Amino acid sequence: MVVKDIIDILEGEVICEGNLDAEIKTACGSDMMSDVLAFVKDQSVLLTGLVNPQVVRTAEMMDMACIVFVRGKMPDQGIIDLAEQRDITLIKTRYRMFTACGKLYEGGLSGGTAV
Amino acid sequence: MSNIHLHYEVSGEDFTRAGEASGSVKKRLKALGYNTDAIRRVAIAMYEAEINMVIHAEGGFVDVDIFPDHVEVLLSDKGPGIPDVEKAMQEGFSTAPDNVRNLGFGAGMGLPNIKKYTDDMRIETEIGKGTDLYLTVKVKEA
Ligand SMILES: Nc1ncnc2c1ncn2[C@@H]1O[C@H](COP(=O)(O)OP(=O)(O)OP(=O)(O)O)[C@@H](O)[C@H]1O
Ligand SMILES: [Mg+2]
């Protein structure tokens, strides 16, 4: 799966465009950033209901190519600028966390290895 | 080859800027050609510690020394100190108030994550004086 497919599956709106052809192998959904930072997975996407700059910084440290904001949440310009500088794609979807994760799972993404 | 030394001041006032230092170190290591896994471990450990400095202390400074085979980081703050380090190291232990939780932190995973991603971690802390956190990450060949 690539970032473009995620946009399609989640009927998402692109808020900041990074590399839309970047490959995505796993996904992670959480509002607690240290939970996200606990497990390094290669080429993953972060789904979150949290909207602040630390979401982008967390993705940066993890080398994530894409962040999905669920429930139609809209990041402010400061967050968008931060993502733009780091070449991270920001997507907004109207789906809630559970549904968004379910749709991506159905589409073939996994959560990576279990703990 | 002599090591590269980097120094950062971390503001305790500005939560949105927390992580600037970690991001900058990550960029520098990338430019120097260090391997991805090592860079990510340094970045994540340092980021967790930088966030802790901002949410639990009142900011401080970071010293980074980059050697060919390892990276050393010292994060020093003049915050309240950690009363029980053993307890603080446990997964899920957090004293973070609700407003910090609403910012996405306070899961009590930061220090355990730091331990996991570093090869060595040492905490020197004194109540009312502050906390010094020493981290070492070894670097394998690129
Ligand atoms: N620099 C510090 N100064 C004072 N207390 C600290 C410092 N760093 C950590 N602590 C204490 O140790 C506890 C555990 O820290 P840890 O980073 O593991 O979790 P957290 O910061 O509360 O949540 P998370 O890291 O998951 O967002 C903190 O809640 C806090 O009480
Ligand atoms: Mg923490």
Side-chain angles (χ1 to χ4, degrees):
Chain A
M1 195 178 287
V2 295
V3 174
K4 262 186 213 149
D5 301 319
I6 291 178
I7 300 166
D8 285 346
I9 292 170
L10 297 180
E11 297 155 46
E13 181 189 322
V14 179
I15 298 161
C16 172
E17 186 173 326
N19 176 9
L20 299 186
D21 293 311
E23 201 185 343
I24 303 290
K25 287 191 171 156
T26 57
C28 175
S30 181
D31 292 347
M32 291 306 256
M33 293 303 106
S34 292
D35 278 341
V36 177
L37 293 159
F39 305 102
V40 166
K41 302 162 191 149
D42 272 320
Q43 296 151 307
S44 46
V45 51
L46 170 61
L47 293 95
T48 189
L50 186 71
V51 185
N52 73 43
Q54 298 309 337
V55 175
V56 177
R57 296 197 194 276
T58 296
E60 174 191 10
M61 304 308 158
M62 299 286 276
D63 298 307
M64 288 170 159
C66 177
I67 299 168
V68 176
F69 295 101
V70 297
R71 266 182 289 138
K73 298 204 175 166
M74 185 67 188
D76 65 26
Q77 194 56 44
I79 299 174
I80 297 169
D81 291 345
L82 217 55
E84 195 154 352
Q85 290 155 14
R86 285 155 184 77
D87 202 27
I88 294 172
T89 299
L90 302 183
I91 299 166
K92 165 176 116 159
T93 177
R94 62 193 165 82
Y95 291 113
R96 299 171 65 175
M97 178 73 98
F98 181 82
T99 311
C101 291
K103 281 184 176 288
L104 292 182
Y105 192 88
E106 224 171 41
L109 269 194
S110 88
T113 43
V115 184
Chain B
M1 189 179 132
S2 65
N3 61 306
I4 295 165
H5 181 80
L6 306 170
H7 177 87
Y8 301 91
E9 297 290 330
V10 176
S11 161
E13 309 283 293
D14 195 352
F15 171 77
T16 62
R17 288 183 66 89
E20 283 278 297
S22 306
S24 155
V25 168
K26 184 170 197 256
K27 227 166 151 181
R28 187 66 179 266
L29 290 172
K30 213 174 213 169
L32 289 166
Y34 281 78
N35 86 54
T36 316
D37 171 67
I39 295 174
R40 200 147 57 185
R41 288 191 295 126
V42 171
I44 296 173
M46 185 176 157
Y47 177 60
E48 288 279 18
E50 195 181 341
I51 292 281
N52 279 355
M53 281 176 103
V54 176
I55 62 178
H56 303 301
E58 289 98 50
F61 68 83
V62 187
D63 277 321
V64 182
D65 286 286
I66 303 172
F67 298 89
D69 62 343
H70 74 285
V71 178
E72 290 176 11
V73 186
L74 161 63
L75 299 107
S76 179
D77 70 60
K78 298 209 179 314
I82 304 174
D84 187 339
V85 172
E86 207 181 311
K87 213 168 172 183
M89 288 299 301
Q90 287 170 10
E91 284 189 11
F93 177 85
S94 175
T95 59
D98 280 350
N99 66 317
V100 167
R101 248 167 253 266
N102 291 339
L103 294 170
F105 293 90
M109 289 299 292
L111 291 173
N113 282 352
I114 293 170
K115 182 158 183 62
K116 183 161 100 180
Y117 291 118
T118 57
D119 293 292
D120 192 58
M121 165 187 193
R122 191 158 51 86
I123 300 178
E124 286 174 11
T125 184
E126 204 178 322
I127 306 298
K129 291 262 171 68
T131 301
D132 288 339
L133 177 62
Y134 295 85
L135 311 177
T136 305
V137 172
K138 289 183 190 154
V139 181
K140 283 171 263 143
E141 286 302 302

Short mmCIF file of all heavy atoms in Angstrom, two decimals, chain A residues 27-77:
data_model
loop_
_atom_site.label_atom_id
_atom_site.label_comp_id
_atom_site.label_asym_id
_atom_site.label_seq_id
_atom_site.Cartn_x
_atom_site.Cartn_y
_atom_site.Cartn_z
N ALA A 27 0.39 0.11 10.34
CA ALA A 27 -0.29 1.28 10.86
C ALA A 27 -0.31 1.25 12.37
O ALA A 27 -0.15 0.20 12.98
CB ALA A 27 -1.71 1.33 10.32
N CYS A 28 -0.51 2.43 12.95
CA CYS A 28 -0.53 2.54 14.39
C CYS A 28 -1.57 3.59 14.74
O CYS A 28 -1.55 4.68 14.17
CB CYS A 28 0.87 2.99 14.82
SG CYS A 28 1.02 3.32 16.55
N GLY A 29 -2.51 3.26 15.62
CA GLY A 29 -3.54 4.21 16.00
C GLY A 29 -3.48 4.50 17.48
O GLY A 29 -3.63 3.60 18.29
N SER A 30 -3.25 5.76 17.85
CA SER A 30 -3.18 6.09 19.28
C SER A 30 -3.22 7.60 19.50
O SER A 30 -2.84 8.37 18.63
CB SER A 30 -1.88 5.54 19.88
OG SER A 30 -1.82 5.83 21.26
N ASP A 31 -3.70 7.98 20.69
CA ASP A 31 -3.67 9.39 21.09
C ASP A 31 -2.56 9.64 22.11
O ASP A 31 -2.37 10.75 22.57
CB ASP A 31 -5.02 9.81 21.69
CG ASP A 31 -6.13 9.81 20.65
OD1 ASP A 31 -5.81 9.74 19.45
OD2 ASP A 31 -7.30 9.87 21.04
N MET A 32 -1.86 8.58 22.50
CA MET A 32 -0.75 8.73 23.45
C MET A 32 0.56 8.53 22.70
O MET A 32 0.85 7.44 22.20
CB MET A 32 -0.88 7.70 24.58
CG MET A 32 -2.06 7.96 25.49
SD MET A 32 -2.07 9.62 26.18
CE MET A 32 -1.51 9.29 27.83
N MET A 33 1.35 9.59 22.62
CA MET A 33 2.53 9.54 21.77
C MET A 33 3.60 8.55 22.25
O MET A 33 4.29 7.94 21.44
CB MET A 33 3.13 10.95 21.61
CG MET A 33 2.23 11.90 20.84
SD MET A 33 1.81 11.29 19.17
CE MET A 33 0.11 10.77 19.36
N SER A 34 3.72 8.35 23.56
CA SER A 34 4.71 7.38 24.04
C SER A 34 4.33 5.94 23.70
O SER A 34 5.19 5.07 23.62
CB SER A 34 4.94 7.52 25.54
OG SER A 34 5.57 8.76 25.79
N ASP A 35 3.02 5.71 23.52
CA ASP A 35 2.59 4.39 23.05
C ASP A 35 3.04 4.18 21.61
O ASP A 35 3.44 3.09 21.22
CB ASP A 35 1.06 4.26 23.11
CG ASP A 35 0.58 3.90 24.50
OD1 ASP A 35 1.39 3.39 25.30
OD2 ASP A 35 -0.61 4.12 24.78
N VAL A 36 2.96 5.24 20.84
CA VAL A 36 3.39 5.17 19.44
C VAL A 36 4.90 4.94 19.38
O VAL A 36 5.40 4.13 18.60
CB VAL A 36 3.04 6.49 18.70
CG1 VAL A 36 3.55 6.46 17.26
CG2 VAL A 36 1.54 6.74 18.73
N LEU A 37 5.63 5.63 20.26
CA LEU A 37 7.09 5.56 20.24
C LEU A 37 7.62 4.24 20.80
O LEU A 37 8.80 3.94 20.64
CB LEU A 37 7.66 6.73 21.06
CG LEU A 37 7.43 8.12 20.45
CD1 LEU A 37 7.55 9.21 21.51
CD2 LEU A 37 8.38 8.38 19.30
N ALA A 38 6.75 3.46 21.43
CA ALA A 38 7.20 2.21 22.06
C ALA A 38 7.58 1.13 21.06
O ALA A 38 8.39 0.26 21.35
CB ALA A 38 6.13 1.70 23.02
N PHE A 39 6.97 1.16 19.87
CA PHE A 39 7.23 0.09 18.92
C PHE A 39 7.61 0.63 17.55
O PHE A 39 6.78 1.21 16.87
CB PHE A 39 6.02 -0.83 18.79
CG PHE A 39 5.58 -1.37 20.11
CD1 PHE A 39 4.48 -0.83 20.76
CD2 PHE A 39 6.29 -2.39 20.73
CE1 PHE A 39 4.09 -1.30 22.01
CE2 PHE A 39 5.92 -2.87 21.97
CZ PHE A 39 4.82 -2.32 22.62
N VAL A 40 8.84 0.43 17.19
CA VAL A 40 9.30 0.88 15.88
C VAL A 40 8.86 -0.11 14.83
O VAL A 40 9.12 -1.31 14.93
CB VAL A 40 10.83 1.02 15.85
CG1 VAL A 40 11.32 1.15 14.42
CG2 VAL A 40 11.26 2.25 16.65
N LYS A 41 8.12 0.39 13.85
CA LYS A 41 7.72 -0.46 12.72
C LYS A 41 8.17 0.28 11.48
O LYS A 41 8.08 1.50 11.43
CB LYS A 41 6.20 -0.61 12.68
CG LYS A 41 5.61 -1.20 13.93
CD LYS A 41 4.12 -0.90 13.97
CE LYS A 41 3.54 -1.22 15.33
NZ LYS A 41 2.42 -0.34 15.65
N ASP A 42 8.58 -0.46 10.51
CA ASP A 42 9.06 0.23 9.32
C ASP A 42 7.91 0.72 8.46
O ASP A 42 6.88 0.09 8.35
CB ASP A 42 9.99 -0.69 8.52
CG ASP A 42 11.42 -0.54 9.02
OD1 ASP A 42 11.80 0.61 9.31
OD2 ASP A 42 12.12 -1.54 9.16
N GLN A 43 8.12 1.85 7.87
CA GLN A 43 7.18 2.44 6.91
C GLN A 43 5.74 2.42 7.39
O GLN A 43 4.88 1.77 6.81
CB GLN A 43 7.29 1.70 5.58
CG GLN A 43 8.64 1.88 4.96
CD GLN A 43 9.02 0.70 4.12
OE1 GLN A 43 8.97 -0.44 4.58
NE2 GLN A 43 9.39 0.97 2.89
N SER A 44 5.47 3.12 8.48
CA SER A 44 4.10 3.07 8.97
C SER A 44 3.39 4.42 8.89
O SER A 44 3.99 5.46 8.67
CB SER A 44 4.06 2.50 10.37
OG SER A 44 5.03 3.09 11.17
N VAL A 45 2.07 4.32 9.10
CA VAL A 45 1.23 5.50 9.12
C VAL A 45 0.68 5.63 10.54
O VAL A 45 0.40 4.64 11.20
CB VAL A 45 0.08 5.38 8.09
CG1 VAL A 45 -0.68 4.08 8.24
CG2 VAL A 45 -0.90 6.55 8.20
N LEU A 46 0.53 6.87 11.01
CA LEU A 46 -0.01 7.12 12.34
C LEU A 46 -1.42 7.67 12.23
O LEU A 46 -1.65 8.68 11.56
CB LEU A 46 0.89 8.12 13.08
CG LEU A 46 0.37 8.70 14.39
CD1 LEU A 46 0.13 7.61 15.43
CD2 LEU A 46 1.34 9.74 14.94
N LEU A 47 -2.38 6.98 12.87
CA LEU A 47 -3.75 7.50 12.94
C LEU A 47 -3.96 8.06 14.34
O LEU A 47 -3.64 7.39 15.33
CB LEU A 47 -4.78 6.40 12.68
CG LEU A 47 -4.80 5.83 11.26
CD1 LEU A 47 -3.94 4.57 11.21
CD2 LEU A 47 -6.22 5.52 10.82
N THR A 48 -4.50 9.27 14.43
CA THR A 48 -4.66 9.86 15.76
C THR A 48 -5.80 10.86 15.82
O THR A 48 -6.18 11.45 14.81
CB THR A 48 -3.33 10.54 16.22
OG1 THR A 48 -3.46 10.92 17.58
CG2 THR A 48 -2.99 11.75 15.38
N GLY A 49 -6.36 11.03 17.02
CA GLY A 49 -7.38 12.03 17.25
C GLY A 49 -6.77 13.25 17.92
O GLY A 49 -7.43 14.23 18.22
N LEU A 50 -5.47 13.15 18.18
CA LEU A 50 -4.75 14.24 18.85
C LEU A 50 -4.28 15.24 17.80
O LEU A 50 -3.74 14.85 16.77
CB LEU A 50 -3.54 13.65 19.58
CG LEU A 50 -2.72 14.59 20.45
CD1 LEU A 50 -3.51 14.98 21.70
CD2 LEU A 50 -1.41 13.94 20.84
N VAL A 51 -4.49 16.52 18.06
CA VAL A 51 -4.06 17.53 17.10
C VAL A 51 -3.13 18.52 17.78
O VAL A 51 -3.57 19.48 18.39
CB VAL A 51 -5.27 18.28 16.50
CG1 VAL A 51 -4.81 19.24 15.41
CG2 VAL A 51 -6.27 17.30 15.93
N ASN A 52 -1.84 18.25 17.74
CA ASN A 52 -0.84 19.23 18.18
C ASN A 52 0.50 18.92 17.51
O ASN A 52 0.67 17.87 16.91
CB ASN A 52 -0.79 19.33 19.71
CG ASN A 52 -0.12 18.14 20.37
OD1 ASN A 52 0.91 17.66 19.93
ND2 ASN A 52 -0.71 17.67 21.47
N PRO A 53 1.46 19.86 17.62
CA PRO A 53 2.72 19.69 16.87
C PRO A 53 3.48 18.42 17.25
O PRO A 53 4.26 17.90 16.44
CB PRO A 53 3.53 20.92 17.27
CG PRO A 53 2.56 21.92 17.76
CD PRO A 53 1.43 21.16 18.34
N GLN A 54 3.26 17.92 18.46
CA GLN A 54 4.02 16.74 18.89
C GLN A 54 3.65 15.49 18.10
O GLN A 54 4.40 14.52 18.05
CB GLN A 54 3.85 16.51 20.40
CG GLN A 54 4.38 17.66 21.27
CD GLN A 54 5.80 18.08 20.92
OE1 GLN A 54 6.58 17.31 20.36
NE2 GLN A 54 6.16 19.31 21.24
N VAL A 55 2.48 15.50 17.47
CA VAL A 55 2.10 14.39 16.60
C VAL A 55 3.07 14.31 15.41
O VAL A 55 3.54 13.24 15.04
CB VAL A 55 0.64 14.55 16.10
CG1 VAL A 55 0.29 13.48 15.10
CG2 VAL A 55 -0.33 14.54 17.26
N VAL A 56 3.37 15.48 14.87
CA VAL A 56 4.30 15.54 13.73
C VAL A 56 5.72 15.17 14.19
O VAL A 56 6.44 14.44 13.51
CB VAL A 56 4.30 16.94 13.07
CG1 VAL A 56 5.32 17.00 11.94
CG2 VAL A 56 2.91 17.28 12.56
N ARG A 57 6.11 15.66 15.35
CA ARG A 57 7.46 15.35 15.84
C ARG A 57 7.60 13.86 16.13
O ARG A 57 8.65 13.26 15.87
CB ARG A 57 7.76 16.17 17.10
CG ARG A 57 7.79 17.66 16.83
CD ARG A 57 8.48 18.39 17.96
NE ARG A 57 8.24 19.82 17.91
CZ ARG A 57 8.93 20.68 17.17
NH1 ARG A 57 9.93 20.24 16.41
NH2 ARG A 57 8.66 21.97 17.19
N THR A 58 6.55 13.25 16.66
CA THR A 58 6.57 11.81 16.92
C THR A 58 6.77 11.05 15.61
O THR A 58 7.61 10.16 15.52
CB THR A 58 5.27 11.37 17.62
OG1 THR A 58 5.20 12.01 18.90
CG2 THR A 58 5.21 9.86 17.81
N ALA A 59 6.01 11.44 14.59
CA ALA A 59 6.15 10.80 13.28
C ALA A 59 7.55 11.00 12.73
O ALA A 59 8.14 10.10 12.12
CB ALA A 59 5.10 11.36 12.31
N GLU A 60 8.10 12.18 12.96
CA GLU A 60 9.46 12.50 12.50
C GLU A 60 10.49 11.55 13.13
O GLU A 60 11.31 10.96 12.43
CB GLU A 60 9.80 13.95 12.87
CG GLU A 60 11.24 14.35 12.58
CD GLU A 60 11.61 15.70 13.20
OE1 GLU A 60 10.84 16.24 14.00
OE2 GLU A 60 12.70 16.19 12.86
N MET A 61 10.41 11.39 14.45
CA MET A 61 11.38 10.53 15.14
C MET A 61 11.26 9.08 14.66
O MET A 61 12.22 8.33 14.64
CB MET A 61 11.18 10.56 16.66
CG MET A 61 11.23 11.94 17.28
SD MET A 61 12.69 12.92 16.84
CE MET A 61 12.08 14.59 17.17
N MET A 62 10.03 8.68 14.29
CA MET A 62 9.75 7.31 13.88
C MET A 62 9.94 7.08 12.37
O MET A 62 9.69 5.98 11.89
CB MET A 62 8.31 6.95 14.24
CG MET A 62 7.99 7.03 15.72
SD MET A 62 8.70 5.65 16.62
CE MET A 62 7.43 4.41 16.36
N ASP A 63 10.31 8.11 11.65
CA ASP A 63 10.43 8.02 10.19
C ASP A 63 9.13 7.62 9.51
O ASP A 63 9.11 6.82 8.57
CB ASP A 63 11.54 7.03 9.78
CG ASP A 63 12.91 7.46 10.28
OD1 ASP A 63 13.29 8.61 10.01
OD2 ASP A 63 13.59 6.65 10.95
N MET A 64 8.02 8.15 10.00
CA MET A 64 6.72 7.85 9.39
C MET A 64 6.44 8.84 8.26
O MET A 64 6.75 10.02 8.38
CB MET A 64 5.60 7.97 10.43
CG MET A 64 5.61 6.85 11.45
SD MET A 64 4.47 7.23 12.78
CE MET A 64 4.17 5.59 13.43
N ALA A 65 5.83 8.33 7.20
CA ALA A 65 5.62 9.17 6.02
C ALA A 65 4.28 9.88 6.04
O ALA A 65 4.06 10.82 5.28
CB ALA A 65 5.71 8.31 4.76
N CYS A 66 3.39 9.44 6.93
CA CYS A 66 2.01 9.91 6.82
C CYS A 66 1.28 9.90 8.16
O CYS A 66 1.45 9.00 8.97
CB CYS A 66 1.30 8.97 5.83
SG CYS A 66 -0.43 9.28 5.60
N ILE A 67 0.47 10.95 8.39
CA ILE A 67 -0.37 11.03 9.59
C ILE A 67 -1.82 11.22 9.16
O ILE A 67 -2.10 12.03 8.28
CB ILE A 67 0.03 12.23 10.48
CG1 ILE A 67 1.48 12.11 10.95
CG2 ILE A 67 -0.91 12.37 11.68
CD1 ILE A 67 2.04 13.39 11.57
N VAL A 68 -2.73 10.44 9.77
CA VAL A 68 -4.16 10.60 9.49
C VAL A 68 -4.85 11.15 10.73
O VAL A 68 -4.76 10.56 11.81
CB VAL A 68 -4.80 9.24 9.13
CG1 VAL A 68 -6.31 9.41 8.93
CG2 VAL A 68 -4.16 8.65 7.87
N PHE A 69 -5.50 12.29 10.59
CA PHE A 69 -6.31 12.84 11.67
C PHE A 69 -7.73 12.32 11.52
O PHE A 69 -8.36 12.55 10.48
CB PHE A 69 -6.28 14.37 11.65
CG PHE A 69 -4.92 14.93 11.92
CD1 PHE A 69 -4.11 15.38 10.89
CD2 PHE A 69 -4.42 14.98 13.23
CE1 PHE A 69 -2.84 15.89 11.14
CE2 PHE A 69 -3.16 15.49 13.48
CZ PHE A 69 -2.36 15.94 12.45
N VAL A 70 -8.22 11.62 12.54
CA VAL A 70 -9.55 11.01 12.45
C VAL A 70 -10.64 11.99 12.92
O VAL A 70 -10.33 13.03 13.50
CB VAL A 70 -9.62 9.70 13.27
CG1 VAL A 70 -8.65 8.67 12.69
CG2 VAL A 70 -9.33 9.95 14.75
N ARG A 71 -11.88 11.63 12.67
CA ARG A 71 -13.05 12.41 13.07
C ARG A 71 -13.02 13.84 12.55
O ARG A 71 -13.51 14.76 13.20
CB ARG A 71 -13.17 12.44 14.61
CG ARG A 71 -14.09 11.35 15.13
CD ARG A 71 -14.23 11.45 16.63
NE ARG A 71 -13.01 11.05 17.30
CZ ARG A 71 -12.48 11.69 18.34
NH1 ARG A 71 -13.06 12.77 18.83
NH2 ARG A 71 -11.40 11.23 18.91
N GLY A 72 -12.43 14.01 11.39
CA GLY A 72 -12.48 15.31 10.73
C GLY A 72 -11.71 16.42 11.41
O GLY A 72 -11.93 17.60 11.14
N LYS A 73 -10.79 16.06 12.31
CA LYS A 73 -10.03 17.09 13.02
C LYS A 73 -9.06 17.80 12.09
O LYS A 73 -8.42 17.18 11.25
CB LYS A 73 -9.28 16.47 14.18
CG LYS A 73 -10.22 15.87 15.18
CD LYS A 73 -9.59 15.79 16.53
CE LYS A 73 -10.64 15.31 17.52
NZ LYS A 73 -10.05 14.91 18.76
N MET A 74 -8.98 19.10 12.25
CA MET A 74 -8.17 19.92 11.36
C MET A 74 -6.97 20.52 12.09
O MET A 74 -7.14 21.27 13.03
CB MET A 74 -9.06 21.03 10.78
CG MET A 74 -8.37 21.89 9.75
SD MET A 74 -7.98 20.97 8.25
CE MET A 74 -6.98 22.17 7.38
N PRO A 75 -5.75 20.19 11.66
CA PRO A 75 -4.57 20.78 12.29
C PRO A 75 -4.41 22.25 11.90
O PRO A 75 -4.85 22.65 10.83
CB PRO A 75 -3.41 19.94 11.72
CG PRO A 75 -3.93 19.40 10.45
CD PRO A 75 -5.41 19.23 10.59
N ASP A 76 -3.78 23.02 12.78
CA ASP A 76 -3.57 24.44 12.48
C ASP A 76 -2.34 24.64 11.59
O ASP A 76 -1.61 23.69 11.30
CB ASP A 76 -3.49 25.28 13.76
CG ASP A 76 -2.27 24.93 14.61
OD1 ASP A 76 -1.26 24.44 14.05
OD2 ASP A 76 -2.33 25.13 15.83
N GLN A 77 -2.10 25.89 11.19
CA GLN A 77 -1.04 26.18 10.24
C GLN A 77 0.34 25.81 10.77
O GLN A 77 1.21 25.35 10.04
CB GLN A 77 -1.09 27.68 9.85
CG GLN A 77 -0.26 28.02 8.63
CD GLN A 77 -0.64 27.20 7.39
OE1 GLN A 77 -1.83 27.01 7.11
NE2 GLN A 77 0.34 26.68 6.67
#
